[in-house]
Amino acid sequence: MNETVVTVVGNVATQPDFREAANGSAVSRFRLAATVRRWDREREEWADAYTSFYTVWAWRTLAANVVGSVSVGEPVIVQGKLRIQEQEREGKRWLSADIDAASIGHDLTRGTSAFRRVSPARPLPVEPVRLAGAGPGALPVAPAGARDPAGTAAMPGPALATPL
């Protein structure tokens, strides 16, 4: 329960990639570069110090939204759980810092962004079709107060079912 939650401000260093995990859920990842800036008193200007790199992991809906919204070089803010991974490659020990993202967004102190809400796909409710008349060739009747396909005006109810 003692997980380290971090907020990191930086630039997207690699194009986000998208794939499906073994369990079928969507996952995307990208590298985030966070450069420390310091005030240089001698030059009286800001100067870059060192850069830390993080691998950011996004899951499910966040994964799809990241791939559709984030590109290399863009400034972002990432919040999530920090994980330090230890690996051994070619006889050398490597450490990597990964962030399991809870939220990702553009850093609006450095630019503008246009938000577009994505709603989950839901099946449309199915309404039973009423039939005018009881015999073969009966025409469907729109429910009272229904709108025409253009959505501009109410369609008449039973008047639609009159024979031509």
Side-chain angles (χ1 to χ4, degrees), residues 16 21 46 51 73 81 88 91 96 105 110 115-116 126-127 150 159-160:
W46 288 98
T51 302
K81 298 174 195 168
E88 190 169 322
S96 67
R110 300 193 273 165
F115 181 77
R116 188 173 53 247
V126 177
E127 292 186 31
L160 283 179

Side-chain angles (χ1 to χ4, degrees), residues 6 16 32 70-71 80 116 121 130 132 142 153 158:
V6 296
L32 178 68
V70 175
S71 298
R116 188 173 53 247
R130 296 181 304 160

Side-chain angles (χ1 to χ4, degrees), residues 11 23 29 35 49 79 85 116 161:
N11 292 318
N23 64 3
R29 70 173 179 183
T35 302
Q79 184 178 36
Q85 302 287 333
R116 188 173 53 247

Side-chain angles (χ1 to χ4, degrees), residues 5-72:
V5 177
V6 296
T7 301
V8 181
V9 178
N11 292 318
V12 178
T14 61
Q15 188 63 33
D17 67 347
F18 182 85
R19 59 185 161 187
E20 264 190 25
N23 64 3
S25 63
V27 62
S28 68
R29 70 173 179 183
F30 64 92
R31 298 281 286 163
L32 178 68
T35 302
V36 173
R37 300 204 24 114
R38 305 235 194 258
W39 180 254
D40 187 339
R41 290 182 184 175
E42 293 174 9
R43 295 184 191 167
E44 294 188 10
E45 65 183 21
W46 288 98
D48 290 345
Y50 58 90
T51 302
S52 297
F53 288 90
Y54 302 89
T55 300
V56 177
W57 295 88
W59 297 88
R60 293 172 286 289
T61 305
L62 180 58
N65 291 343
V66 164
V67 171
S69 303
V70 175
S71 298
V72 174

